[in-house]
Amino acid sequence: MTNKDGKNTGKAIFGIADIVRVFSSFSVSPFKAIGKQNAELSFASLIVPALTYIFFAIQLVLDRFSFVPTMSGIKALLTVFISLIVGVVMSLVSAGLLYAVLNLKAIKSDYQCILLGTDLSYIIPFIVVFIGLLVRLIFSVPTTMTFGLSALLFALIPYGRMAKELLKKDIPWYVFAVAANGILNVFAVNIILFSVN
């Protein structure tokens, strides 16, 4: 494929399609991304859960401005900042939880690789929360519950798939890891919800 200047754009389009395909694959099954060659991306990829929680907080703040007369700009900024911290810490702790379980089972693992997989499990929630924020801004309808909370909880699915693969399908430990991570998710969301009261 060539553009009007006669330059070949086929490779560029194919490259973008490849990136989308790879990230789509990783978002559903982060285990595929785990590997020493990708480990250095683990801390950079913390931006995905951080932005996911920030967009969730912005939706929450916009909804609260509509219903809570005491909501102020300073409180809104504080909520967004708390959400940034919660998003980063949540991902680090979730990865640490799975890493600890793997060590208990004497399964060799690398924390940075697990952290990368945990961060990538937020790709679809990030997209959903971003769409929710756009819907909130365009149509002025509350989106915190439909797009926000449901998206954050969806991160448990790819995280669970990764845990299942890493734990060699050891069901009791897999259930424990996912359930504990679910409790952590609920706790993280509650921190953000109470920060706006």
Side-chain angles (χ1 to χ4, degrees):
M1 182 185 295
T2 57
N3 59 17
K4 61 183 180 181
D5 299 322
K7 294 179 180 176
N8 191 344
T9 58
K11 286 185 180 178
I13 293 170
F14 182 72
I16 293 168
D18 263 0
I19 291 168
V20 171
R21 180 179 53 77
V22 167
F23 271 86
S24 300
S25 176
F26 288 171
S27 67
V28 175
S29 184
F31 176 74
K32 294 176 182 177
I34 291 179
K36 293 287 184 185
Q37 71 276 12
N38 296 323
E40 65 275 6
L41 300 173
S42 59
F43 291 103
S45 64
L46 280 168
I47 194 168
V48 180
L51 285 175
T52 304
Y53 274 88
I54 285 173
F55 289 157
F56 167 72
I58 293 171
Q59 288 180 58
L60 178 63
V61 163
L62 290 172
D63 287 352
R64 288 299 170 102
F65 269 124
S66 302
F67 302 112
V68 181
T70 57
M71 191 68 189
S72 66
I74 293 173
K75 193 178 276 191
L77 288 173
L78 182 62
T79 301
V80 172
F81 178 73
I82 289 170
S83 299
L84 166 65
I85 302 300
V86 167
V88 171
V89 171
M90 180 63 205
S91 192
L92 291 168
V93 172
S94 293
L97 169 71
L98 185 52
Y99 180 70
V101 170
L102 288 165
N103 280 338
L104 282 172
K105 290 290 295 172
I107 298 172
K108 189 177 179 181
S109 59
D110 180 76
Y111 177 75
Q112 281 187 267
C113 291
I114 295 170
L115 178 60
L116 176 62
T118 303
D119 294 341
L120 292 177
S121 70
Y122 282 93
I123 291 175
I124 292 177
F126 165 76
I127 294 167
V128 173
V129 172
F130 180 70
I131 292 169
L133 180 58
L134 291 179
V135 170
R136 179 68 180 81
L137 291 171
I138 295 168
F139 299 106
S140 297
V141 294
T143 55
T144 304
M145 298 297 287
T146 51
F147 286 93
L149 284 176
S150 56
L152 290 176
L153 292 175
F154 181 85
L156 288 172
I157 296 172
Y159 179 87
R161 288 180 64 128
M162 178 176 68
K164 192 174 182 181
E165 293 294 331
L166 288 170
L167 287 164
K168 317 287 191 219
K169 302 184 180 178
D170 186 332
I171 300 302
W173 282 104
Y174 154 72
V175 170
F176 169 77
V178 175
N181 192 43
I183 292 167
L184 286 171
N185 264 286
V186 171
F187 180 69
V189 167
N190 275 305
I191 290 173
I192 297 167
L193 290 173
F194 285 114
S195 72
V196 294
N197 289 334

